[in-house]
C-alpha cells in the first residue's frame, strides 16, 4: 500500500506537465488512466466474457423469478462462474422473501363481441375468484384522472388507466408512467373497483403485456390487477369510440409462497493497497417470469462481471477492491416491504458502510452508454476529468443530473455511499422490458461490449484512485 | 350494351392518334383509362372506406376463426356494410365445415432446466393426452433432413424442424419454408415421433408463435404439432450447443366441431352493358384465432370493398360486373379436403364460370403494391399497356411471373378463369402473419390507400374493357 503511494509521489515529481493526480501508476510506468484506456480498448476489441455470461445465463435457466428454483440454480451457476473467472471471496447470501407465482391467467372482452385480451397479472396482485371478475370497463387517461373519480363510482367496475407511455432515450417516459402501475390498483380499489387494468407501461406496439410490480397497502394489493398490451389498449379505445360499452372478464390464480428465499451473489477483485475499500458494481440476477431476463438484467450481470474480470487482467491489481454484487429479488415488491436484494445487502453491510467508496448499477439493458453522472464534486475533480477523458472515445459525455444508482444500490446511496451512473440509451429498452420478448437476440453484441468498456474504465479508475468520493460529493 | 359498343367505335374513329382500344368512354368523353386514373387519384387523396372497414371489422369482432360465432357475426356485419355502400345482390352463402378450436395449450422445456416455451398448436392438429406428450427433442435443419431420418428413429421423441425462414419482398421465403409446416407432422409421425414442433414460419424475431394449418393424411393430422417462436427456436439451438439434451412437454386440448358452417359474403357493382360478365375481387373474412385478422385478411377485404365502391362512384357504370367476394374458411384446411370458401364458391358457380372474366385476390396484408402480374397475352395487349400506364404513378411495374391468384380464387384459376395479381411488398408481412400481433396498428394507412388505388384502377379497367382475357391468356 505504501509502495504504491510512494510511486504516485515519484511520478508526480517526475512529470512537470502533469497536474497533481489521485492515481497510482504501474511498475511499467503506466498511469491508472493509461491502464483504464487499455482495458477500455481491450473490451471493445472483443472480450467475450459478457456475451458468454448473458447467453448461458438466459439460455440455461430462462426466467429467474425471485424465490424460484431457477433463481437458485442461476445463483449457484453464477457463483461458480465468478470463481472460474478468478474472483475471490465468492459468496451466495440468502435472505427470506415471500415469492409471488403467476398461475394461469386470461382475460377477454365479453361484450359487445367476445374476443381475447393479451394480459399479464401485475406482480404481487392477488388471484381473482375462480370464475374471474367481470365488469364494465371505466377508462381513465392517467392516474390523476383515476384519483379524481368519486368514491364508490367504480363499484362493480373494472378500472383501466390507458396512458400511452412516451418513448424517450433516458427512460423518463417510464418514470412518468409507472406510478399508475404502482398505485393504480390501490386507487381503483378505494373507489370500489372489482379489478384494475393498465395499458402496458412500455413501448413498441407489439402484442405483449409488460409485467411489473404493483404496490401493497396495509400488507396487500387490494384487487386483481393486470397489464394489457398496447394493441389491446388501442382495441378498447376504438370500441369505446364506436359507442360501445365494454365488459371484460379477468381471471388469475396467482399465489404467494411465504418463507421462500432469494440470493445475493458476490465476488471480488481484491485491492492491492487498500482492500477494505470497496467499489460495488451491482446488477440483478432475478428476472420477470415471462421472458428470459436477457436485457433485464442478465445484460447488467454480464457487463459488471466482464468489467471486473477485465480489471483483474490489468498488469497490476488496483489499490481498492472491486466487488460485483448480483442481487436477488429486485423485481418483486415484498408485501411487508422488508427485504429485497438491495436491502438485504445493506443490512448485511451496516458495519462496513464507511469503507464502501462508491456504488453503481447496470440495470437498463444493453443499449450504449451515452453519458456519465457523478456527484458535482467528483465530476469537477481530477478524478472526474480523467474519467471523462477515458470515456470520451466511447461517445460518453458528462451530465449534470445527480447519480441515481438503481433499485439495488439505491439503499447504499441513501445510507451515504457515493453513487455513479453510466446512463444507457433506453430508446428501445421498453419495447421488451418485462415481456416474454426479453430474450438474448434483443442484445446487440457491439453495444454490450461498449458497456463493458465503460464499466471497466470507470471501475478501474475509482479502484485505483486515492480520490475521496465522499468528500468530493460533499463539496 | 350496344350503345356502349357504338360509343367505342365512334371514339376510335374520332381519335386519329389513339390506337385501337378495347375501352369504352363516358358521356363526358372520358375514356376508361382516364376514369381509372381519376379513381386511382381519388383513392390516394383519401377515401376512408378501406381504413374504416378494416378498423371496425378487426376491432368489433377481433379474431374470426372459421366456424366461430365471430366469423358469422363478421359475415353479417360485412353484408350490411356492403349494402350500405351501395353494392347490389349482397349475399351470405353458407357452406359446411369441420371447425377446429384451439383450447388451452402450453409447452415447456423440462430438462436440463425447466422453462416455458411460447407455442401455438398448428391448425388442425389433434389434442395431446391430458398430461401432454413429453420427449427428447430431435432437431432437423429442414424438412428434407427429417425425411432422411430412418423409420422408427423418432420413437418416443419430439421432432423439431428448425429452419430459419428468410425475409423476402415477394413472400418466396414463406413459400420455401411452409412445406415443413404442412408435411412435417406426417413425416415425423411416420418415423415414430410423439409430437412435432416447427420453428415458426415467420420473421421478425419476436416471441410470437406463428400459427398456420398443417395437412391431413387419411383424414387426420397424425400427431400433436406446434409452432414455437423464433426466440424459442434460438434457445433450443443454444442449449444444444451447450451440449445439453433437451426434453420438452407439449400440451393441447384442441378439438374439432363437425357440422359447423362458414360463409362467403358477396356483393356486386353491376355492369351497365354486360352485367353477366363478372370480375371477381377476392379476399377472406376468416382469420386465425390468435390475432385480430387485421393484416390477414381484414386489409384485403377492406381494399377490394373500397376499390369496388370507388368504381361505383365513377360518372358511369362499368360495362361488366365487379363482384366482391369475402371468403370464409380460407385459413384452416379441412379434414376431408371438401370445402373451403374458394371451393364452395367454385361449386356454386360451375354453371356460370364461362362468364367469369377474371379473378384476383388481396391476401398479403397492406404492404404497397409494387408489381402486377397478368398472363403474357394480357400484359402485351392494349388493355395491359393501358393498365401499366395507370399503375405506373403508383410505383407499380410489370412482372413476367404468371399470376397465381391466391387460396380463394385459385380454384377459379384452375377451372380456367384468367387470374391477375397485384403483388404487394411482403418484407414485413411475416413479422405478424398468423400471430397474436396481427392487429390494426400494423397497417400503414398510406400503403392501404395505395392498394385501394391499384385495385380500383385495375378493376375499373377490366370491367370497362371489351378485352377477352381468356383469349389473351391463350396467346
Amino acid at each position: 500500500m505504501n509502495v504504491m503511494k510512494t510511486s504516485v509521489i515519484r511520478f508526480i515529481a517526475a512529470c512537470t506537465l502533469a497536474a497533481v493526480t489521485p492515481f497510482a501508476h504501474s511498475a511499467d510506468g503506466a498511469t491508472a488512466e493509461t491502464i483504464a484506456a487499455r482495458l477500455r480498448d481491450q473490451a471493445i476489441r472483443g472480450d467475450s466474457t459478457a456475451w458468454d455470461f448473458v447467453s448461458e445465463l438466459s439460455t440455461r435457466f430462462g426466467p429467474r423469478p425471485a424465490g424460484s428454483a431457477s433463481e437458485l440454480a442461476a445463483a449457484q451457476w453464477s457463483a461458480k462462474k465468478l470463481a472460474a473467472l478468478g474472483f475471490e471471496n465468492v459468496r451466495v447470501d440468502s435472505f427470506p422473501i415471500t415469492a409471488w407465482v403467476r398461475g394461469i391467467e386470461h382475460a377477454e372482452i365479453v361484450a359487445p363481441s367476445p374476443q381475447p385480451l393479451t394480459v399479464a397479472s401485475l406482480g404481487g396482485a392477488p388471484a381473482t375468484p375462480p370464475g374471474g371478475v367481470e365488469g364494465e370497463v371505466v377508462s381513465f387517461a392517467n392516474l390523476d384522472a383515476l384519483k379524481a373519480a368519486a368514491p364508490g363510482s367504480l363499484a362493480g367496475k373494472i378500472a383501466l388507466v390507458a396512458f400511452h407511455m412516451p418513448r424517450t432515450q433516458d427512460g423518463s417516459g417510464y418514470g412518468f408512467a409507472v406510478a399508475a402501475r404502482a398505485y393504480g390498483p390501490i386507487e381503483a380499489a378505494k373507489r370500489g373497483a372489482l379489478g384494475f387494468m393498465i395499458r402496458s407501461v412500455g413501448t413498441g406496439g407489439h402484442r405483449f403485456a409488460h409485467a411489473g410490480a404493483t404496490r401493497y397497502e396495509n400488507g396487500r394489493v387490494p384487487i386483481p390487477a393486470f397489464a394489457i398490451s398496447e394493441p389491446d389498449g388501442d382495441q378498447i379505445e376504438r370500441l369505446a369510440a364506436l359507442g360501445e360499452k365494454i365488459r371484460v372478464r379477468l381471471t388469475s390464480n396467482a399465489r404467494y409462497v411465504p418463507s421462500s428465499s432469494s440470493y445475493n451473489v458476490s465476488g471480488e477483485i481484491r485491492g492491492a493497497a487498500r482492500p477494505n475499500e470497496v467499489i460495488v458494481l451491482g446488477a440483478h440476477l432475478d428476472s420477470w417470469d415471462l421472458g428470459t431476463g436477457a436485457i433485464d438484467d442478465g445484460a447488467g450481470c454480464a457487463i459488471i462481471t466482464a468489467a471486473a474480470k477485465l480489471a483483474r487482467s490489468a498488469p497490476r491489481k488496483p489499490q481498492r477492491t472491486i466487488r460485483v454484487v448480483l442481487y436477488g429479488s429486485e423485481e418483486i415488491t415484498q408485501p411487508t416491504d422488508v427485504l429485497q436484494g438491495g436491502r438485504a445487502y445493506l443490512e448485511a453491510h451496516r458495519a462496513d458502510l464507511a469503507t464502501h467508496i462508491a456504488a453503481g448499477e447496470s440495470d437498463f439493458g444493453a443499449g450504449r452508454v451515452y453519458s456519465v453522472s457523478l456527484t458535482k464534486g467528483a465530476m469537477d475533480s481530477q478524478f472526474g476529468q480523467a474519467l471523462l477523458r477515458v470515456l470520451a472515445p466511447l461517445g460518453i459525455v458528462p451530465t449534470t443530473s445527480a447519480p441515481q444508482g438503481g433499485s439495488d444500490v439505491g439503499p447504499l446511496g441513501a445510507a451515504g455511499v457515493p453513487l455513479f451512473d453510466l446512463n444507457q440509451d433506453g430508446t428501445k429498452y421498453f419495447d421488451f422490458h418485462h415481456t416474454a420478448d426479453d430474450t438474448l437476440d434483443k442484445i446487440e453484441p457491439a453495444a454490450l461490449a461498449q458497456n463493458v468498456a465503460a464499466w471497466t474504465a470507470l471501475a478501474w479508475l475509482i479502484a485505483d484512485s486515492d480520490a475521496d468520493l465522499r468528500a468530493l460529493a460533499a463539496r
Side-chain angles (χ1 to χ4, degrees), chain A residues 247-309:
Chain A
R247 290 181 70 80
V248 298
R249 187 189 301 118
L250 306 170
T251 312
S252 158
N253 65 355
R255 65 197 167 86
Y256 307 94
V257 185
S259 308
S260 296
S261 294
S262 184
Y263 308 89
N264 288 338
V265 179
S266 57
E268 296 178 343
I269 308 302
R270 293 290 288 175
R274 299 187 302 283
N276 291 339
E277 297 185 9
V278 172
I279 297 94
V280 169
L281 313 187
H284 67 88
L285 204 51
D286 70 311
S287 78
W288 278 104
D289 54 343
L290 299 171
T292 66
I295 67 162
D296 185 12
D297 182 30
C301 294
I303 289 163
I304 63 169
T305 298
K309 179 255 184 185

Side-chain angles (χ1 to χ4, degrees), chain A residues 65-411:
Chain A
S68 68
S70 286
E71 192 202 21
L72 172 57
Q76 291 168 332
W77 172 88
S78 299
K80 278 187 200 160
K81 180 67 74 178
L82 291 180
L85 290 171
F87 284 73
E88 298 171 76
N89 297 336
V90 174
R91 300 175 56 94
V92 178
D93 293 307
S94 79
F95 53 94
I97 62 166
T98 294
W100 177 87
V101 180
R102 186 184 309 281
I104 295 166
E105 58 194 13
H106 49 96
E108 55 272 323
I109 292 173
V110 293
S113 184
Q115 53 181 297
L117 293 169
T118 295
V119 302
S121 177
L122 297 182
T128 62
V133 291
E134 183 183 321
E136 185 185 326
V137 175
V138 183
S139 187
F140 298 94
N142 51 43
L143 182 62
D144 285 342
L146 169 59
K147 285 181 174 174
S153 61
L154 297 177
K157 315 274 186 170
I158 309 286
L160 166 66
V161 173
F163 185 70
H164 294 222
M165 173 185 149
R167 185 188 291 280
T168 59
Q169 185 182 32
D170 66 358
S172 53
Y174 181 74
F176 187 66
V178 75
R181 191 186 77 207
Y183 299 104
I186 294 168
E187 297 298 333
K190 276 182 189 166
R191 289 158 181 84
L194 291 172
F196 175 80
M197 301 194 299
I198 186 168
R199 183 188 168 98
S200 282
V201 184
T203 52
H206 291 293
R207 197 95 183 272
F208 295 112
H210 295 240
T214 187
R215 291 287 176 133
Y216 292 76
E217 189 175 62
N218 304 322
R220 56 192 285 270
V221 176
I223 50 175
F226 296 80
I228 64 174
S229 82
E230 293 165 81
D232 289 274
D234 294 343
Q235 190 84 332
I236 288 173
E237 285 179 27
R238 283 191 302 265
L239 275 171
L242 288 171
E244 299 289 352
K245 289 199 172 185
I246 303 144
R247 290 181 70 80
V248 298
R249 187 189 301 118
L250 306 170
T251 312
S252 158
N253 65 355
R255 65 197 167 86
Y256 307 94
V257 185
S259 308
S260 296
S261 294
S262 184
Y263 308 89
N264 288 338
V265 179
S266 57
E268 296 178 343
I269 308 302
R270 293 290 288 175
R274 299 187 302 283
N276 291 339
E277 297 185 9
V278 172
I279 297 94
V280 169
L281 313 187
H284 67 88
L285 204 51
D286 70 311
S287 78
W288 278 104
D289 54 343
L290 299 171
T292 66
I295 67 162
D296 185 12
D297 182 30
C301 294
I303 289 163
I304 63 169
T305 298
K309 179 255 184 185
L310 275 169
R312 186 176 171 276
S313 74
R316 59 177 168 79
K317 285 188 158 191
Q319 298 187 69
R320 293 160 167 164
T321 291
I322 299 171
R323 181 179 296 158
V324 160
V325 187
L326 310 179
Y327 292 90
S329 193
E330 189 272 345
E331 293 291 6
I332 187 84
T333 311
Q334 287 299 311
T336 49
D337 253 345
V338 173
L339 282 178
Q340 294 189 245
R343 293 282 299 273
Y345 180 92
L346 178 72
E347 297 307 327
H349 288 273
R350 286 258 180 228
D352 58 333
L353 282 182
T355 52
H356 277 65
I357 299 301
E361 183 164 352
S362 177
D363 183 18
F364 205 51
R368 284 170 188 271
V369 176
Y370 68 95
S371 73
V372 56
S373 302
L374 299 175
T375 62
K376 184 168 186 321
M379 192 72 89
D380 294 344
S381 72
Q382 290 181 344
F383 159 77
Q385 296 306 302
L387 176 63
L388 292 180
R389 285 191 297 272
V390 177
L391 295 182
L394 298 173
I396 299 171
V397 299
T399 72
T400 53
S401 343
Q404 303 295 318
S407 312
D408 296 307
V409 304

